[in-house]
Amino acid sequence: MSAVDVRAAHVRPRVRALSLSADRVAVLALAALAVVLTAVTWNRWGDLGLDTGYDLVAGAKVSHLDAPYLDYVYFYGPLGPFLLGAVFEVLGIGVGQSVVLGLALAAAGIGLAYALARQLVGPLAAACVGALAAVPALSNSNVSYVQPHTLAAPVGMVVGLATVLALLRFARGGGRGWLAVTGAGVGLAALTRPESFGAVALAVGGWLLVRLLRTPAPRRAAWRDAAATVLPAAGVALAGYGAFFLVGAFHNGLTLHELLRENLFPAGQIRESVSVVYAQLAPMTATSFAALGAKLVLYGAGMAAMVAVARALHRPGPWRIAAIALLGLGVVAFLGVLAGRPDTVRYYLRFAFAWLPAGSAIAAAALAWRAVRGREWGVAAQLELLVALLLVGFSYSAYALYVPYPNPAFPQETAYAMPVIATFLAWLHVRVLPASGLAPARTLRAVGAGWIALLAVACVALLVHDARRETFMVHGPRGTIAATPAEGPAFQGAIDAIERHTRPTEPILLAPQMSALYVMTGRTDLLPELSLLPGSLDGPAAQRAAIRTMDERNLRLAITDRAPLTRYGKGPFGVGYDGLIGAWLRRDFIHLTTLRGTAGGGDQRRALDVWLRRTQ
C-alpha cells in the first residue's frame, strides 16, 4: 500500500465521523427548532373562519360510522378522514385529539424533508430545508400540517416524500419489492387529492419512462419493473375508491356519476368556486406566461449576483473586503427590516419562489434529456430528476401566484409542497451552481447555503410574527383554537350562543364555513355538504332540498358569516349566493344578534349573525 493510500485510509474514517457528527448536530438543531415553533404556535393552528374544520367534521362522521361519498359529500380522497376517524375512535372526538395526528404529520414532513435533501446536499443545507418545511407544517394559517384545510394535502405530501425515498432504495440496488412499495405509495397518493397524486405520478412515471428509454431493446426487465410499480399503484387506488362505489351501488344507490360529479369533482363548486380561484392561480394566458418568464429572468439575475459575490470573495485584497462589507450590510439591513417591518419582507419574498414553476420545468426537461442521451444516471441523478418532476407537478395549478410562505390573510396551498420546494432550491444553490465553474465551488457553495439559510430565517420569523398576533383563545367544550382580536370575540360569542340555545348533539347550521365549531361544541351538522361555499348547493333545487332537510330535522339555531367571499367573486352567504336559504332564515328565524370582533389593529372585524327559529 502506497503512502497516499495509507493516508487516505486514515482520512476516510475521520471524514465519515465528522459527517455523522454534523448530521447529529443538524438533526438536533432542527428538532429544537420544531419544538420551539410548536410552543409558539400552540393552539394557533388553523383558521376558524375557513375550512379548518372540514376534516374535523369528516373524521367525526367516520368515527360515527358515516362514510365519505355515501353519507356525506366529500371532495378529496378517503385516506385523510379515515386516519382522523381512527384517531377519534381511539382518543375521542375533539380538537386536541386531531392535533395528535397533525403533529405526527408535521414531524414526518419535517423529517422526510431533511432525509430527502440530505441525499443531495450536506447537513447544514439539509437542516435549512427542514426549517423551511417546518414553517408550513406548524403554520398558524389555514394551510398547515396540524390543522389543514384538508388532511389530504399534508398526508399526500408525506406519502409522496416516502414514495420517492422508497424508489431511491431501489435505485441504490434494492430488490424489486421496493418498486412494489413505490407503486403502493402512488396508489395511496391517489387516495389523498388530485394535486398530490398528479405530482407523485408524474415523478414516478417520468422516472419509469426515462429508464425504459435508456434500456436497450427488448427492454423486458425494464417493462417488468414498470409493471411491478404500476400494478400495485392501480390496485391500491382502485381498491380504495372501488370499495365505496360497490358498497354505495348496492346499499345507497350511488352511481359512478355521483361519485365523480358530486364528490371528487363537484360540478357546481368547480364552476362557482374552484374555477374562479384557478383563473387567478393558473389563468393559462400569454400574459401570465410572460410574467412567469420575467420572474425567472429576475431570479436568474439574482443568481448572477451571487456568482459575482462569490468571485469577489475569492479574490484577495479590496475586492474581498468590499464583498464581505456588502454581504454584512445586506444581511444586517435584511434582518433589520424583518424585525421592524416583517410584511415588507413578506411582499418581496415572493420573488424568491415565484419563478419555480418555470425553473423546475426547465430543470426537469434538462435532466430527462441528459439521462435519455445516455449520460449520468447514478442515484443522485435519478433523485434530481424525481425532485424536479415532483416540483413541476406541484406547480402546474398555481404557476401565476406561487407564494409558498406564511400568509394567514391569503394562504396558498403551494406551502404544503415546501419540502420539495426547499430541496430543489438547496440542490440548485449548493450543488448545481457551485459545479458550474462560474466561481470557486467552495465559495459559491457557502454563498448558496447562506441564501437558503436566510430564506429559512425569514420564513420562521414571519411565522412567529403571525402566530403572536393571534392572542384571543376561543374555547369550546371540545377544544381551543386561537384567533386574532378582530375575529376571536365573534367566534367565542358563537360558541356561547350555541351552548346557550342548543343541547349537545343537537343539529345546528354554520355557514358558509366555520365547521370547526361543530366539533368544538359537539353539535351536529345535518346537511351532507360539510361546507357551503358557492356551488356546494348546485342550483335552486339543491337549496330547496337543504331547506326541507333542515325543516324536517327541526333546525333551531343558525349562525352565518357576513364576510363577502371576494376570492370567489361572491357576496356573503345567503345574499351574494344561496339566496333561497338566506330568505328562509329571514322569514322563519329571529335575528338574535350580530357578534363582532374587536376593532383595531388594521384587521377586518368578523361579523356573525345568530338566527333562532320562531316559535310556532
Side-chain angles (χ1 to χ4, degrees), residues 163-560:
T163 300
V164 168
L165 290 173
L167 187 55
L168 196 63
R169 288 294 298 271
F170 173 79
R172 292 187 187 280
R176 192 170 284 161
W178 285 107
L179 289 178
V181 173
T182 299
V186 176
L188 286 174
L191 302 181
T192 58
R193 64 175 188 157
E195 292 87 347
S196 299
F197 170 66
V200 178
L202 177 65
V204 175
W207 178 88
L208 286 172
L209 179 60
V210 168
R211 193 163 182 270
L212 280 167
L213 293 175
R214 284 180 51 87
T215 304
R219 303 188 175 99
R220 291 191 183 92
W223 281 111
R224 284 195 293 270
D225 289 343
T229 307
V230 172
L231 291 178
V236 171
L238 290 174
Y241 289 109
F244 292 99
F245 175 67
L246 291 175
V247 171
F250 281 105
H251 296 285
N252 295 61
L254 180 72
T255 65
L256 183 60
H257 180 271
E258 289 172 334
L259 176 64
L260 295 176
R261 300 302 289 162
E262 294 182 9
N263 288 275
L264 299 175
F265 303 98
Q269 190 158 348
I270 288 176
R271 183 182 63 252
E272 300 293 333
S273 299
V274 177
S275 63
V276 176
V277 173
Y278 280 137
Q280 306 168 34
L281 300 179
M284 298 295 178
T285 62
T287 302
S288 65
F289 289 124
L292 179 60
K295 296 166 187 172
L296 177 65
V297 170
L298 181 63
Y299 196 82
M303 292 175 64
M306 292 182 197
V307 171
V309 167
R311 291 171 68 91
L313 286 171
H314 193 71
R315 295 177 64 178
W319 284 101
R320 178 182 296 173
I321 295 172
I324 292 173
L326 182 64
L327 278 177
L329 287 173
V331 170
V332 169
F334 176 83
L335 295 177
V337 175
L338 182 62
R341 303 193 58 146
D343 285 321
T344 299
V345 173
R346 190 196 308 276
Y347 175 82
Y348 287 105
L349 196 60
R350 69 178 64 192
F351 298 108
F353 300 104
W355 65 280
L356 282 168
S360 61
I362 293 172
L367 291 167
W369 176 258
R370 183 183 69 175
V372 170
R373 295 293 292 176
R375 298 177 65 183
E376 184 181 354
W377 187 241
V379 174
Q382 295 178 56
L383 180 57
E384 290 165 359
L385 177 62
L386 286 166
V387 169
L389 288 172
L390 268 179
L391 190 50
V392 171
F394 280 116
S395 301
Y396 77 94
S397 61
Y399 72 85
L401 194 61
Y402 205 74
V403 285
Y405 51 87
N407 188 352
F410 191 60
Q412 287 293 323
E413 295 179 26
T414 47
Y416 291 119
M418 186 59 89
V420 179
I421 292 168
T423 298
F424 182 87
L425 286 171
W427 165 74
L428 177 66
H429 286 284
V430 180
R431 189 182 179 105
V432 176
L433 202 56
S436 65
L438 296 173
R442 186 174 179 180
T443 306
L444 192 49
R445 188 178 299 114
V447 171
W451 170 239
I452 303 301
L454 206 61
L455 287 178
V457 168
C459 287
V460 167
L462 285 171
L463 173 58
V464 173
H465 167 72
D466 294 336
R468 290 177 63 187
R469 293 175 61 247
E470 296 188 352
T471 57
F472 193 101
M473 292 293 168
V474 181
H475 299 282
R478 294 189 178 182
T480 299
I481 296 179
T484 63
E487 296 190 328
F491 291 126
Q492 187 63 61
I495 289 177
D496 295 342
I498 293 168
E499 290 286 296
R500 185 181 309 115
H501 296 289
T502 63
R503 302 179 302 277
T505 73
E506 182 177 345
I508 60 174
L509 174 67
L510 300 169
Q513 297 174 297
M514 302 184 290
S515 43
L517 301 186
Y518 287 119
V519 172
M520 292 176 70
T521 60
R523 267 54 173 186
T524 304
D525 61 320
L526 46 76
L527 295 179
E529 294 80 13
L530 305 187
S531 177
L532 294 179
L533 290 173
S536 296
L537 298 173
D538 193 7
Q543 291 184 59
R544 285 191 285 267
I547 291 171
R548 284 196 300 272
T549 298
M550 291 185 283
D551 272 333
E552 291 168 0
R553 295 284 301 277
N554 192 31
L555 177 78
R556 293 195 305 118
L557 182 73
I559 299 177
T560 59

Side-chain angles (χ1 to χ4, degrees), residues 16 43 65 73 78 99 112 128 138 146 157 200 220 232 244 246 268 290 303 332 362 374 404 469 492 537 581:
R16 282 196 295 270
N43 279 341
L65 302 181
V73 176
V99 166
L112 289 171
C128 292
L138 297 166
V146 184
M157 190 71 248
V200 178
R220 291 191 183 92
F244 292 99
L246 291 175
M303 292 175 64
V332 169
I362 293 172
R469 293 175 61 247
Q492 187 63 61
L537 298 173
I581 295 181

Side-chain angles (χ1 to χ4, degrees), residues 43-54 56 140-143 147-149 408-411 470 472 474 480-484 486-492 494-495 510-518 520 530-534 559-568 572-573 577 604-608:
N43 279 341
R44 290 171 170 83
W45 305 297
D47 189 326
L48 288 170
L50 296 177
D51 270 334
T52 288
Y54 186 76
L56 292 178
N140 63 305
S141 76
N142 195 42
V143 174
Q147 289 287 13
H149 85 288
F410 191 60
E470 296 188 352
F472 193 101
V474 181
T480 299
I481 296 179
T484 63
E487 296 190 328
F491 291 126
Q492 187 63 61
I495 289 177
L510 300 169
Q513 297 174 297
M514 302 184 290
S515 43
L517 301 186
Y518 287 119
M520 292 176 70
L530 305 187
S531 177
L532 294 179
L533 290 173
I559 299 177
T560 59
D561 193 344
R562 284 192 178 185
L565 298 183
T566 53
R567 187 177 186 186
Y568 307 108
F573 172 82
Y577 70 100
Q604 187 70 35
R605 294 175 67 192
R606 182 73 61 170
L608 307 177

